[in-house]
Amino acid sequence: MTSAPASGTAPRPSLTQPAAPPAFPADSPAAVTAVHGPSGVAFFDFDGTLIHGDSLPMFVGEVIGRRRAALALADAIRSGLHRHVRGRGPGCDFPGSVKAIFLKRTLRGLPVAEAMAAAERMVPRIRWHQPMLEVLKDHCRQGRRVVVATGALDLYMPALLRGLGVADLLATGMEVVDGTLTGRLSTANCVRRDKAERVTAWIAGNGPVAATWGYGNHPSDLPMLALMHKGEVVRIRRRSNHR
């Protein structure tokens, strides 16, 4: 756990500055330049930042069983690679293609009620990255808004964030028809540039803000971190404490 920060500053446990240059030019419409207002905002990635590992395979494991989920993910990786080599991947990049295939094969036809029940079963299994959880709580104590921006699904994230004081969630949406998942996304996959664009739009729609902090992992969150007044890369140590 980190020590209490000085007034007006954010804690810095095991973090480093982004090594890459800003993803957007300073004069780009997507760049956050001067902002004004009484309140700051802290943006947090989720997987590999606030928690250990990836929450999506865990969620699918709660839905169809862990062994079947692991086999489905391995098959999605193989299928995604073959499709991407032929230029027919369903996602904008290889990871996006794997995710699209994985979700379609495992969640199509799932009632939303069952998805919500699976989300609740996940809650006690999450391995929190305790230092970053303390950073989030410290931002809340200092009166800043906290927003989680993640490629994880909006199906289960509200259950996992319950009680943490998160003001808003930017996540990947799943399409629902008549109370059942179609297996397709209803939003862009909220990672990399898509995440940066969602964060930019959030600031434009909810500002003005006094300052922005961002926390994410390398390299997928660099476009978001480049938008921040203070963006930092999180590296989770293997023996880090967790909840």
Side-chain angles (χ1 to χ4, degrees):
M1 185 178 297
T2 59
S3 59
S7 178
T9 62
R12 299 163 59 94
S14 303
L15 305 174
T16 59
Q17 293 292 342
F24 302 108
D27 58 352
S28 165
V32 177
T33 54
V35 292
H36 308 281
S39 178
V41 184
F43 294 88
F44 288 81
D45 173 49
F46 188 71
D47 296 322
T49 299
L50 282 171
I51 69 167
H52 294 254
D54 189 342
S55 59
L56 181 57
M58 183 185 299
F59 172 70
V60 175
E62 291 293 345
V63 173
I64 66 173
R66 299 179 196 180
R67 177 175 171 77
R68 287 181 61 196
L71 292 173
L73 180 57
D75 188 59
I77 292 171
R78 288 192 295 268
S79 181
L81 180 60
H82 293 156
R83 295 189 195 186
H84 225 70
V85 167
R86 299 195 303 269
R88 298 175 58 189
C92 63
D93 54 18
F94 173 63
S97 293
V98 171
K99 185 173 184 176
I101 295 167
F102 183 55
L103 292 175
K104 188 172 184 180
R105 292 181 178 178
T106 58
L107 300 185
R108 180 172 54 185
L110 178 71
V112 172
E114 292 186 19
M116 297 297 98
E120 293 298 331
R121 292 194 297 272
M122 284 179 69
V123 173
R125 294 186 55 213
I126 290 294
R127 296 180 59 224
W128 292 98
H129 180 209
Q130 194 65 36
M132 285 309 303
L133 195 59
E134 291 301 318
V135 172
L136 183 153
K137 291 177 180 178
D138 190 74
H139 278 294
C140 290
R141 284 191 291 265
Q142 296 193 46
R144 298 168 187 146
R145 286 174 288 179
V146 170
V147 177
V148 170
T150 175
L153 303 183
D154 61 1
L155 285 169
Y156 59 80
M157 284 301 301
L160 304 187
L161 297 177
R162 189 165 53 228
L164 292 183
V166 174
D168 209 347
L169 170 66
L170 307 177
T172 301
M174 291 293 294
E175 183 181 72
V176 177
V177 175
D178 296 330
T180 301
L181 302 181
T182 67
R184 297 187 295 268
L185 300 183
S186 62
T187 69
N189 189 17
C190 190
V191 298
R192 294 176 286 280
R193 278 188 173 270
D194 284 318
K195 180 184 290 190
E197 290 172 0
R198 294 272 295 273
V199 167
T200 299
W202 191 95
I203 292 172
N206 293 272
V209 296
T212 52
W213 290 260
Y215 305 92
N217 50 40
H218 184 281
S220 62
D221 287 317
L222 292 180
M224 176 186 77
L225 298 181
L227 301 173
M228 303 290 111
H229 291 103
K230 188 175 182 181
E232 305 206 48
V233 174
V234 178
R235 291 185 172 89
I236 297 183
R237 297 172 181 172
R238 289 186 179 180
R239 294 185 180 182
S240 177
N241 293 331
H242 59 82
R243 200 170 168 185

